[in-house]
Amino acid sequence: MKLKRFEHLEGYRFMLTFENGEIKQADLHELIGAYVAPDALSTARINPEWECLEFNDGRVDIEPKTLYRYATAADSRQAA
């Protein structure tokens, strides 16, 4: 599973588009809050080689599979 696009919404919330066409919203605070300060969220980019979401010039990254599982689990938690 690869990350194709993202949009930073507000705070730690992101809209994520994966290679299978699924679009998911996720609050990434739980994953990266201890490593990425709120004012550094604008450094987000997709690494062209690994297609992961990275911050702070690659010092923090989230593997696409991890990001997909996290976003999917968040969908499940919100639906319950």
Side-chain angles (χ1 to χ4, degrees):
M1 182 64 59
K2 295 178 181 176
L3 182 64
K4 292 299 182 187
R5 285 187 294 284
F6 75 91
E7 179 184 348
H8 179 220
L9 301 174
E10 65 179 346
Y12 286 85
R13 293 195 64 74
F14 285 80
M15 181 79 68
L16 309 165
T17 303
F18 295 92
E19 70 178 341
N20 66 358
E22 288 187 62
I23 299 171
K24 299 192 174 283
Q25 267 192 53
D27 185 331
L28 303 181
H29 186 266
E30 197 174 296
L31 282 178
I32 62 170
Y35 310 102
V36 180
D39 63 338
L41 293 170
S42 63
T43 67
R45 72 178 193 123
I46 296 176
N47 177 290
E49 184 177 347
W50 300 102
E51 296 180 328
C52 62
L53 185 60
E54 66 179 25
F55 300 85
N56 297 328
D57 295 320
R59 289 188 296 271
V60 176
D61 63 39
I62 309 169
E63 179 181 315
K65 289 178 188 176
T66 299
L67 194 55
Y68 181 79
R69 284 193 302 264
Y70 182 82
T72 300
D75 282 351
S76 297
R77 288 190 298 269
Q78 288 176 352

